[in-house]
Each structure stands twice: as C-alpha cells, then as structure tokens.
Amino acid sequence: AQKVTQAQTEISVVEKEDVTLDCVYETRDTTYYLFWYKQPPSGELVFLIRRNSFDEQNEISGRYSWNFQKSTSSFNFTITASQVVDSAVYFCALSERGSQGNLIFGKGTKLSVKP
Amino acid sequence: NAGVMQNPRHLVRRRGQEARLRCSPMKGHSHVYWYRQLPEEGLKFMVYLQKENIIDESGMPKERFSAEFPKEGPSILRIQQVVRGDSAAYFCASSPLRGSGLRTDTQYFGPGTRLTVL
C-alpha cells in the first residue's frame, strides 16, 4: 500500500541553523512522483518541488535542497541558513503512476524558526 | 496569471445546513482535485474531476458529499446536512494534464475554504 511518513511532527531551530525534514515513502509502483509543499501560517499550500522516480539527482534551489534516495525510499528536504519566514508546516506527498494522480500526503512537519 | 481561486475563504454553517464550496482552476487547467484537511491530520484526497466528468471519487464520503465540475463555471463541492465532524479546511487543486503515468503534472492549490459547523 502507498504511504508517506514524516516522522518529525515538530522541529524548532534558531535562525541561521540548517534543518532537514525527513520523508519516507512506500509504493509498489515503479513509476511515481514525489512532492514537497509548504503551508505557512496564512494557510495556503505552496508548491516547492516535484521529482519523478527516474531522476535521483539531488536538487538545489537557493537555500533549499532535496535529497532523493530510492534505496532508502526517502526524499528529504534541507533548508540552509533558516529564516523566520521559513516557519511553516511542510508536507511531503506521493503520486503513483497507477493512480489518477491523486496525492498521498504525509502528516506534515511543523517548522518553527526563532529569531 | 491568476492562481486557483476558492470561495468563500471562511464558511460557517449550523448543523443540518448545506455547504457549497467553489473552486475556479488556474487558466488553462481542466483537471480539478479536492482535498480535506481535518484538524491534527494531513490532507486527504476526496475527488478528481474533469469538465462534466467525475474521474475518481474514491476519497469521498459515501453520503452527503457530492462534487461537480460543469462545462461552464467553477467546480462545486457540496456537503448536505453538515455535522460538526465536517469542520475542516477544504482545498482545491488544479493541473493542466491528466494525472496518470508520465503525464502526471503538478497540482497547484488554492487558498482553501475553512468550514466551521456550529
């Protein structure tokens, strides 16, 4: 069965610290897609990244980086030099080829960045 | 380019009333998904629609909930005879392509509708 696990419920860091949010997924499909979304206190969901199962190359976008490891079924997200504006709930999600594209979300990790 | 629009942003209903949530997808998008976020839970898929078609409603509760995406106008999620347990944030997402296989595309979310049932 498909599943996304974000074991860290809440993380608190001080500004400028690096922080890694973990995501572990389960799927029987060989073709699938992984996503990260950010939900700031205002409540909307903001798309951050999409990765397909063929591409294990890590990605960096400014202070954000993602580490995709098929061998451990993980898709971890690192924020370098965190800022107060990074405070939000971050969701990891999975979409399988065999589905209609429906996203299966983890329960989210609440990140608090203190000044 | 306007994003996904949802209205109302906040909706208060008394038990037994009907709630109607509207979603206008991004321009050029013809695929709409609805998700529900209950307190202390993650987001759960409810239904996937294309224009005039329900493609997948496997996440919809069997009773009181319905969804449509007419040829003209927004997608509507309707909840009849609301109960306190329906209080949640309801998110709509849209994508330009069918969510299947290599053509799966990114879903962009609206701001959500927060439903409170008194």
Side-chain angles (χ1 to χ4, degrees):
Chain A
Q2 60 275 31
K3 188 178 174 183
V4 175
T5 301
Q6 294 180 254
Q8 305 147 309
T9 307
E10 290 194 43
I11 300 176
S12 183
V13 299
V14 177
E15 214 172 12
K16 296 184 185 174
E17 282 185 27
D18 298 348
V19 58
T20 295
L21 310 181
D22 298 333
C23 173
V24 173
Y25 61 92
E26 292 176 32
T27 178
R28 290 182 185 157
D29 238 325
T30 54
T31 302
Y32 52 89
Y33 306 84
L34 296 163
F35 303 80
W36 277 94
Y37 287 86
K38 173 182 179 180
Q39 187 175 40
S42 49
E44 71 273 25
L45 277 162
V46 179
F47 164 73
L48 295 178
I49 190 171
R50 167 179 156 231
R51 180 58 95 214
N52 72 49
S53 53
F54 309 128
D55 183 3
E56 285 195 72
Q57 205 166 18
N58 292 329
E59 181 152 342
I60 298 174
S61 175
R63 295 184 297 107
Y64 294 172
S65 62
W66 291 269
N67 185 310
F68 177 27
Q69 301 252 354
K70 272 177 99 165
S71 59
T72 55
S73 297
S74 64
F75 186 43
N76 296 337
F77 172 30
T78 297
I79 302 174
T80 304
S82 59
Q83 299 176 0
V84 172
V85 293
D86 295 327
S87 297
V89 180
Y90 291 85
F91 291 98
C92 180
L94 164 73
S95 174
E96 296 175 317
R97 177 182 185 169
S99 74
Q100 297 289 346
N102 316 334
L103 292 172
I104 301 152
F105 283 89
K107 293 198 170 180
T109 297
K110 183 177 180 180
L111 173 65
S112 298
V113 182
K114 312 246 182 271
Chain B
N1 191 15
V4 178
M5 311 271 286
Q6 287 188 253
N7 67 80
R9 295 291 305 275
H10 299 274
L11 182 61
V12 179
R13 284 288 177 265
R14 296 191 180 280
R15 279 179 297 170
Q17 290 184 321
E18 178 178 283
R20 286 181 137 225
L21 287 61
R22 293 174 187 76
C23 169
S24 296
M26 284 178 75
K27 191 174 181 181
H29 289 192
S30 56
H31 302 262
V32 165
Y33 298 78
W34 285 93
Y35 293 82
R36 177 165 65 173
Q37 186 176 30
L38 288 163
E40 307 304 321
E41 291 190 22
L43 291 110
K44 304 287 187 191
F45 164 76
M46 298 181 77
V47 62
Y48 164 37
L49 310 106
Q50 295 176 26
K51 289 278 186 183
E52 300 184 285
N53 261 320
I54 297 175
I55 306 301
D56 181 355
E57 56 182 348
S58 59
M60 286 278 267
K62 295 287 182 249
E63 297 176 350
R64 303 187 297 107
F65 285 72
S66 62
E68 62 177 10
F69 189 14
K71 189 175 178 182
E72 302 290 338
S75 174
I76 307 282
L77 179 68
R78 184 182 290 109
I79 312 172
Q80 295 178 302
Q81 299 173 343
V82 296
V83 300
R84 291 225 172 98
D86 296 332
S87 295
Y90 291 83
F91 288 92
C92 166
S94 73
S95 74
L97 294 174
R98 176 188 171 95
S100 171
L102 291 175
R103 295 186 295 156
T104 293
D105 209 337
T106 299
Q107 293 176 31
Y108 295 92
F109 282 79
T113 294
R114 271 102 187 133
L115 172 65
T116 302
V117 179
L118 301 177

